């Protein structure tokens, strides 16, 4: 019976399946009652059982048949898997199935079968497991899809069982893994390996990196639809601690670079799904979020659009919200700062500058792409994008990128933030409410300078998306409610931003008018000014055509539906100027600033609509008649424009601004087509203007035109007419026994005959004994023969200033005169502007107009001098030229509250051009008469001409300077700017011609023997005018180089005939051959004008003009290519060698020019050569005063200035080192880790940058080594110590970066680094200790001098800091020496006494503070020595027996010889120990 059962099994495959189903226990309690079928225990039946497997595999549907049979058999085996025969059957069954698997269908049945095998693998013998592993991993080429790799689900458990069971199982496992890693992977196999990799707990770091490298190489072939699941598996793998950084880096790089180049919609959807996976993974494992942020933070090259999207997605996790935003912001700001620095840095090569420019562009494009793709399954990122956009707008002030945004295609931070939020507003409807809420909140809460970008964002949204913005009018009304509580400028900007929307919403317009109406009645001046500006802007908005530019709703990129368009209110009707005229009338009774805004706004209104000029004149006429009274004699009520409150004088009415407004409107009406405009308006509405309307409109115009002509005539003839003298009661003070005119008269009268009367006055603080006089007391002046002058001056004061009955104090009366002079100066400028325009258009009578201009300039000069000189406390100081209009205003405002916002010249560009032409004409004729006048030994004939010439030159130059400065400060192009500034380029040629004439006049005046004081004063005035003319040119060139408003300035300047200079003809010919027109203009301007002027003015020792010319040459030179800039640097070097000047300012300017225009490394080589020449005068061997320097500019008189200049140049280089050291740190961190992108090129670029930095540092060492040998002055010595401490701090960081982190291979330092260390130790460190000792020895000798105590206190801070930085640098060198087995400190000399206290105790008599300071220094000394002692011990252990002991330093010998207390001997003992720190190695020598 037993033999029969063993020969053939009683059951076939179908019976086995049925038996397995019957044997399957229904619950756990029946498990013990289930017995194993007997045939499974017989080894002879195993062959038949396996044959059923093969027969089923050959069936028509093998998948289900094989799966059913194998699972049934495995279920029977599982009843007693530990039996030996059953284990043998299990092994055979697994092996047979593995062999049959390639021929079977790969579906869910096969996967279910493999999972059942996986549960019983623990019972398979190890040898059979190895056989199965070999079968599975033998041929990976057959694995194409993921289903083909189902057998690899068995691999993790098999390998784990082998590794744990055998002693050398790990070697077998590693060999299998290496075999798999070395084979070629299909995309299906890659997906399978990633899915099972989380179970490979036996993988080490190296094989893990190889595995990930294999994955990220093959991921490019994976189908798009499989990418999200693959990334999810990788994130699961990372969450289990498997190479987190490498996985995150690979994902970011692949989606940001490889897949990022594909712009298909499917790719964006896939990226959106992946971002959701990343967000979920970070929520489950926060450490992954830290890895994401660490990746972008450590390496800016990982910054791409996907990295931005990942950070924005991760920021939705609360714990990473702030840190993610901070990292994104830091990455952006760092990119901008680095590019800005490299762009301006001379020693960085162009290829590195190009890399930083490329980096900034990549950053900007990455951010914009991440935002633009936010609607592809990334809606969860919208709040983060919104937050980050506002963060960028608030960060505008941190990096000044305005000039960067104007070139090279960069946006800048502000524009980038606005573009982000504009995209959100357009794409995501759900974000609009939040954007508007954030705009409202930030405008109200931020500081004014931070809220301006937010206002610009609001303006862009209104201009680009007006229909959607109509839905947010309620929020805008809420914002307007805070108008009176905002900063004045911000409130004005807010209304200006709302104007495009106000024009199409009557409700919003009415609400805005209501708000500004309330604001007009506020007490704060700034609020009133803002409200007045807003009123003008509202009226101007009505005048603008509705189809212009961005304000047109038809051109909007976001059109509304028909229903929305029907709800939009109609455009505003009626004349808003007439509606708001009463409110504007209210503004005319407020402060002077408010009135100025009204007057300027009225001119803008007439510019926008010339037809409104008559209405404006009707509006102004009643107000104007308060200050203008017409009768037998014209009278301007200047006195009524000024009021005094609580002893302070204020300008109540800016009469000059009023007259300027009137003059411009008259000019616009004269040249405008008012009648045609009015006729067209009437025809449009179906009516015509009546004769009464015409007469009423013309009446006010004629009144103003006639009044302005009378004022012009009156001011021209006021000092010439002999008409009736009307005196008013005037107050004055006079010392007893002397006759004195009242204050208003003493300026107009007394200045002419002051020397002849020999009187002195004191008006600001009249002493006791001074009495008040009436006009009758002025008759003694008549007896002296000055009656005509008195008549004219009294009449001016009585008629123009009006009657004054206020018996105030002399100080208040003085302030009133200053304000009156300021107003009268402005009125004269207004009249001058009109006369100059008449002169420009006149065909004849030009001589009379020029004479009239001269008269007005003379009056203006007198008033300007009085307004400035009356405030000078030094009565003996000669009144100088009026510096600028702004300076005059600042002087006037110094004794009062702010009288007006600012005093501006009321001259247009064309008027100033005419003044410059007159000045040129007069000066040319005056210069031609100088020689004849000097030969006749008579100056009376030309004194008046010379005086008038100087006055008009001064006035024209001051007006030009103010005009250029104000043009740069004016905002965008507009009608008002075009009206006043126009073609400002036209001022350049006459300014340059005048400069050349003034220079020639200075030469003539200098060559003559100036024996008379008048000639001497004329020469001084010529120099002052030359200085002012050059300053005007400098300002114009500065504006033209920094802005696009003066694009053709240099080209216009080149039209002026150049100076004759024989040495520069060849250079000019070379420059003429340049192809680039911009470079050609710059080069020719330098060659034709700047160099000859510099050469001539250096001979005249005109140091201030030389400084300005050097500044101009530097500005232009920095804009030139390296070739031409170096040529100018070589010329400046030759000038320094050949020009012997004793003026320190000239020497300093030329040295700075020579070094700044020389490209590295020439700049520091020149500095080294000059320092060597300086050593002849302030070095250790400077006893011979007859030494001659190779650079003639270096002499005994200029040593201090040149040393200071070179110190500052070195300081600037060390500032560059601060940045370059940080970049070296970032480069080293990237080089110390494995990255997958841009390895070849960027590694070489980083190596090149490192070598350049080392070369620059070496040059700095050589420069400092020359300074250390000099006998510097106190301030220079302190400056030198501080910058040297900063230099050693950078050296310490560079040395620290050469030390490899733990776990990484230590590289040998480069040869250039070793040379740098040797040079620093020998040439700088060792002499530096002697420098400090000698400096304090000199202090000891001069200890009783004044200020020495404070100097010692300052140096007690900088000297210990220097010593600490030196020892910190050497500490890192010690560590590097140990790591590389190289003695880098064999040339070093360690410090032995760190506080460098004064050694001689007998000098303690200086003061009581010295012993206290010494005690404090000893405390610091002990702390530093304790720290250094640890380093010394470690170094001793490393260098024992390598050489002889070092000799003790000079300081220690001094201490040992001196008689001091016990504390003084402690450093000496420690110094002996420190002297054995570093020894010379016989192997290294």
């Amino acid at each position: 019976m037993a033999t029969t059962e063993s020969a053939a099994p009683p059951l076939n495959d179908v019976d086995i399946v049925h038996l397995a189903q019957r044997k399957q226990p229904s619950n756990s309690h029946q498990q013990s009652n289930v017995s194993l079928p007997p045939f499974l225990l017989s080894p002879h039946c195993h062959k038949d059982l396996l044959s059923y497997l093969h027969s089923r595999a050959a069936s028509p549907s093998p998948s289900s048949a094989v799966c059913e049979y194998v699972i049934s058999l495995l279920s029977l085996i599982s009843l007693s898997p530990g039996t030996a025969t059953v284990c043998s059957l299990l092994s055979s069954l697994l092996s047979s199935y593995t062999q049959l698997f390639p021929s079977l269908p790969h579906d869910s049945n096969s996967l279910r079968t493999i999972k059942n095998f996986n549960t019983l693998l623990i019972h398979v013998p190890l040898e059979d497991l190895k056989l199965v592993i070999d079968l599975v991993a033998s041929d990976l080429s057959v694995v194409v899809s993921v289903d083909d790799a189902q057998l690899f689900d068995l691999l993790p458990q098999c390998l784990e069982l082998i590794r744990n069971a055998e002693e050398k199982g790990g070697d077998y496992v590693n060999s299998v893994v290496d075999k798999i890693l070395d084979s070629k992977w299909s995309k299906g196999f890659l997906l399978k390996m990633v899915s099972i990799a989380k179970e490979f707990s036996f993988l080490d770091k190296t094989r893990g990196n190889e595995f990930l490298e294999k994955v990220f190489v093959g991921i490019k072939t994976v189908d798009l639809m499989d990418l999200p699941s693959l990334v999810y598996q990788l994130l699961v793998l990372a969450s289990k601690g498997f190479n987190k950084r490498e996985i995150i880096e690979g994902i970011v790089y692949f989606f940001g670079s490889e897949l990022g180049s594909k712009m298909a919609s499917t790719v964006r959807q896939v990226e959106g799904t992946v971002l959701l996976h990343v967000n979920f993974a970070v929520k489950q494992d926060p450490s992954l979020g830290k890895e994401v942020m660490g990746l972008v933070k450590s390496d800016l090259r990982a910054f791409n659009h996907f990295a931005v999207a990942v950070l924005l997605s991760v920021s939705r996790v609360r714990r990473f919200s702030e840190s993610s935003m901070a990292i994104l912001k830091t990455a952006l700001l760092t990119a901008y700062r680095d590019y800005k620095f490299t762009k301006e840095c001379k020693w960085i090569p162009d290829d590195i500058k190009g890399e930083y420019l490329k980096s900034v562009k990549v950053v900007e494009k990455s951010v914009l792409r991440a935002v633009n793709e936010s609607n592809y399954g990334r809606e969860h990122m919208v709040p983060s994008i919104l937050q980050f956009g506002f963060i960028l707008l608030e960060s505008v002030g941190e990096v000044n990128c305005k000039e960067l945004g104007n070139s090279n295609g960069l946006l800048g931070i502000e524009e980038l933030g606005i573009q982000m939020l504009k995209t959100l507003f357009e794409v995501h409807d759900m974000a609009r409410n939040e954007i508007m809420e954030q705009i409202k909140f930030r405008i109200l809460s931020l500081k004014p300078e931070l809220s301006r970008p937010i206002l610009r964002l609001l303006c862009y949204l209104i201009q680009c998306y007006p229909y959607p913005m109509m839905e947010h009018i309620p929020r805008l009304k809420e914002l307007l409610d805070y108008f009176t509580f905002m900063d004045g400028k911000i409130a004005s900007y807010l209304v200006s931003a709302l104007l495009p929307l106000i024009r199409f919403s009557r409700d919003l317009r009415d609400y805005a008018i209501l708000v500004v109406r309330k604001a007009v009645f506020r007490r704060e001046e700034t609020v009133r000014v803002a409200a007045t500006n807003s009123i003008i802007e509202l009226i101007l908005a009505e005048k603008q055509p509705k189809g212009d530019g961005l304000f047109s709703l038809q051109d909007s990129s976001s059109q509304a539906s028909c229903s929305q368009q029907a709800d939009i209110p109609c455009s505003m009707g009626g004349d808003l100027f007439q509606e708001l005229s009463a409110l504007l009338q209210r503004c005319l009774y407020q402060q002077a600033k408010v009135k100025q805004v009204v007057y300027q706004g009225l001119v803008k209104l007439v510019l926008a609509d010339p037809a409104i000029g008559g209405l404006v004149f009707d509006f102004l006429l009643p107000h104007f008649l308060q200050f203008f009274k017409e009768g037998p004699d014209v009278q301007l009520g200047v006195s009524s424009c000024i009021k005094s409150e609580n002893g302070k004088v204020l300008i109540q009415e800016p009469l000059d601004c009023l007259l300027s407004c009137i003059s411009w409107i008259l000019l616009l009406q004269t040249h405008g087509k008012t009648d045609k405009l009015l006729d067209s308006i009437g025809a449009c509405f179906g009516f015509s203007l009546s004769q009464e309307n015409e007469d009423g409109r013309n009446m006010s115009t004629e009144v103003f035109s006639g009044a302005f002509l009378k004022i012009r005539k009156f001011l021209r003839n006021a000092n010439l007419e002999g008409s009736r003298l009307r005196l008013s009661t005037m107050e004055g003070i006079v010392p007893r026994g002397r006759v004195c005119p009242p204050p208003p008269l003493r300026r107009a009268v007394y200045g002419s005959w002051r020397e002849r009367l020999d009187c002195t006055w004191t008006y600001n603080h009249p002493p006791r004994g001074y009495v008040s006089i009436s006009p009758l007391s002025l008759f003694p002046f008549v007896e002296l023969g000055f009656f005509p002058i008195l008549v004219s001056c009294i009449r001016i004061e009585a008629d123009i200033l009006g009657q004054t009955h206020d018996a105030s104090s002399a100080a208040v009366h003085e302030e009133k005169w200053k304000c009156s002079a300021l107003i009268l100066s402005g009125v004269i400028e207004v009249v001058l502007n009109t006369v100059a325009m008449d002169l420009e258009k006149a065909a004849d009578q030009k001589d009379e107009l020029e004479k009239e201009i001269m008269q007005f300039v003379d009056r203006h000069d007198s008033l300007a001098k009085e307004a400035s000189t009356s405030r000078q406390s030094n009565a003996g100081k000669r009144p100088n030229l009026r510096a600028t209009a702004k300076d005059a205003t600042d002087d006037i405002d110094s004794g009062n509250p702010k009288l007006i916002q600012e005093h501006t010249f009321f001259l247009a560009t064309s008027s100033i051009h005419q003044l410059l032409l007159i000045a040129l004409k007069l000066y040319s004729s005056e210069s031609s008469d100088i020689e004849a006048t000097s030969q006749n030994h008579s100056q009376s004939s030309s004194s008046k001409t010379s005086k008038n010439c100087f006055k008009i030159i001064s006035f024209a130059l001051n007006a030009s300077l103010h005009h250029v400065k104000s043009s740069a400060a004016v905002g965008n192009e507009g009608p008002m700017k075009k009206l006043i500034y126009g073609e400002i380029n036209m001022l350049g040629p006459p300014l340059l011609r005048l400069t050349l004439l003034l220079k020639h006049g200075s030469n003539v005046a200098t060559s003559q023997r100036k024996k008379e004081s008048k000639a001497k004063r004329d020469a001084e005035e010529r120099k002052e005018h030359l200085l002012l003319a050059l300053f005007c040119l400098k300002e114009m060139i500065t504006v033209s180089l920094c802005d696009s408003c003066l694009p053709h300035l240099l080209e216009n300047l080149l039209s002026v005939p150049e100076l004759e200079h024989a040495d520069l003809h060849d250079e000019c010919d070379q420059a003429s051959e340049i192809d680039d027109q911009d470079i050609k203009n710059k080069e020719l301007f330098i060659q034709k004008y700047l160099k000859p002027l510099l050469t001539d003015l250096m001979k005249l020792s005109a140091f201030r003009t030389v400084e300005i010319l050097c500044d101009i040459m530097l500005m232009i030179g920095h804009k030139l290519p390296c070739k031409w800039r170096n040529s100018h640097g070589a010329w400046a070097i030759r000038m320094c060698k050949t020009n012997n000047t004793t003026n320190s300012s000239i020497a300093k300017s030329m040295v700075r020019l020579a070094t700044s225009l020389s490209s590295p490394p020439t700049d520091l080589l020149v500095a080294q050569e000059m320092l060597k020449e300086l050593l002849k005068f302030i070095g250790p061997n400077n006893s011979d005063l007859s030494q001659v320097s190779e650079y003639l500019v270096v002499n005994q008189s200029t040593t201090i200035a040149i040393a200071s200049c070179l110190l500052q140049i070195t300081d600037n280089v060390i500032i560059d080192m601060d940045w370059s050291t940080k970049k070296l740190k970032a480069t080293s961190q990237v080089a110390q880790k494995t990255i997958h992108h841009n390895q070849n090129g960027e590694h070489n670029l980083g190596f090149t940058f490192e070598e350049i930095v080392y070369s620059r540092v070496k040059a700095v060492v050589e420069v400092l080594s020359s300074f250390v040998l000099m006998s510097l002055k106190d301030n220079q010595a302190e400056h030198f110590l501080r910058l040297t401490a900063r230099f050693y701090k950078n050296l310490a960081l560079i040395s620290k970066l050469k030390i490899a982190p733990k776990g990484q291979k230590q590289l040998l330092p480069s040869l250039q680094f070793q040379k740098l260390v040797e040079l620093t130790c020998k040439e700088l460190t060792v002499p530096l200790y002697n420098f400090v000792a000698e400096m304090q020895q000199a202090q000891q000798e001069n200890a009783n001098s004044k200020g020495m105590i404070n100097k010692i206190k300052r140096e007690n801070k900088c000297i210990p800091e220097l010593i600490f930085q030196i020892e910190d640098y050497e500490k890192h060198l010690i560590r590097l020496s140990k790591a590389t087995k190289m003695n880098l400190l064999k040339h070093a000399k360690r410090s032995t006494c760190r506080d460098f206290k004064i050694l001689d105790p007998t000098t303690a008599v200086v003061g009581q503070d010295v012993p206290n300071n010494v005690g404090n220094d000893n405390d610091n000394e002990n702390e530093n020595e304790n720290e250094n002692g640890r380093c010394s011990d470690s170094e001793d252990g490393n260098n024992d027996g390598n050489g002889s002991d070092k000799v003790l330093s000079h300081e220690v010998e001094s201490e040992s010889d001196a008689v001091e207390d016990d504390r003084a001997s402690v450093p000496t003992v420690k110094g002996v120990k420190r002297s054995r720190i570093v020894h010379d190695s016989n192997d290294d020598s």
Side-chain angles (χ1 to χ4, degrees), residues 711-955:
I711 292 173
R712 171 178 170 180
K713 181 179 179 181
F714 170 68
L715 290 175
R716 182 179 68 247
N717 300 326
N719 60 343
L720 298 176
E721 290 181 353
S723 60
R724 181 174 58 89
L725 175 63
R726 295 194 299 109
L727 294 176
S728 60
T729 304
M730 308 177 68
E731 296 294 328
I733 52 177
V734 60
R736 293 177 180 175
R738 294 191 179 184
V739 179
C740 171
L745 297 182
R746 70 173 168 131
R747 285 153 190 82
V749 182
Y750 175 62
S752 303
W753 36 265
R754 180 173 183 176
E755 298 176 0
R756 299 179 61 180
L757 284 183
D758 191 21
C759 297
T760 57
W761 328 86
T762 304
Y763 286 96
N764 292 332
H765 304 284
R768 183 176 302 174
Y770 279 62
V771 296
S772 176
I773 63 171
S774 66
L776 296 177
S777 303
L778 298 176
F779 283 110
F781 288 93
V782 179
E783 298 176 358
L784 292 175
F786 296 100
F787 181 75
I789 300 177
L790 282 175
V791 169
S792 61
C793 296
I794 293 173
R795 187 182 182 282
I796 293 171
E797 298 301 332
D799 294 352
I800 298 181
L801 299 181
Q803 298 181 359
T804 305
H805 301 283
D806 183 19
S808 58
S809 63
V812 173
H813 198 76
E814 185 80 6
E815 293 300 323
K816 284 186 177 182
W817 162 248
K818 297 173 189 176
C819 297
S820 303
L822 182 63
I823 294 175
L824 286 173
S825 298
V827 172
I828 292 175
E829 290 169 13
V830 172
V831 177
L832 265 173
N833 185 57
T834 305
V835 178
M837 289 185 173
D838 292 343
L839 177 61
E840 183 182 12
K841 296 177 293 184
D844 51 2
Q845 297 181 349
K846 289 190 174 183
D847 293 338
E848 294 182 3
L849 290 174
E850 289 179 0
K851 183 179 179 181
E852 186 177 1
I853 288 176
M854 293 293 298
Q855 292 173 348
F856 285 126
V857 168
D858 181 67
R859 176 56 57 81
H860 187 279
D861 181 73
S862 300
L863 292 171
K865 286 183 178 180
E866 293 302 328
S868 59
T869 58
S870 61
R871 295 183 303 276
Q872 295 177 357
S873 58
N874 185 7
K877 184 176 179 180
R878 183 178 65 87
N880 203 343
L881 297 174
R882 185 185 183 197
T884 59
K886 187 176 185 301
D887 295 336
T889 306
D890 293 340
D891 291 339
I892 291 175
D893 290 347
S894 61
N896 305 316
K898 294 181 179 179
L899 301 175
I900 53 176
Q901 184 175 5
E902 62 176 358
H903 177 70
T904 57
F905 273 87
F906 299 95
L907 298 172
T909 301
S910 58
S911 301
I912 299 176
H913 183 257
Q914 292 297 319
L915 291 174
L916 288 172
L917 295 180
I918 295 174
L920 281 170
K921 178 181 177 181
L922 288 176
Y923 191 81
S924 299
S925 61
E926 191 266 343
S927 298
S928 61
D929 295 338
I930 288 179
E931 184 177 355
T933 302
S934 60
Q935 291 176 357
N936 296 332
H937 302 283
S938 172
Q939 294 183 355
S940 58
S941 59
S942 62
S943 59
K944 184 176 180 180
T945 305
S946 177
K947 182 179 179 181
N948 293 334
C949 178
F950 288 156
K951 286 181 180 180
I952 195 169
I953 289 175
S954 177
F955 180 81

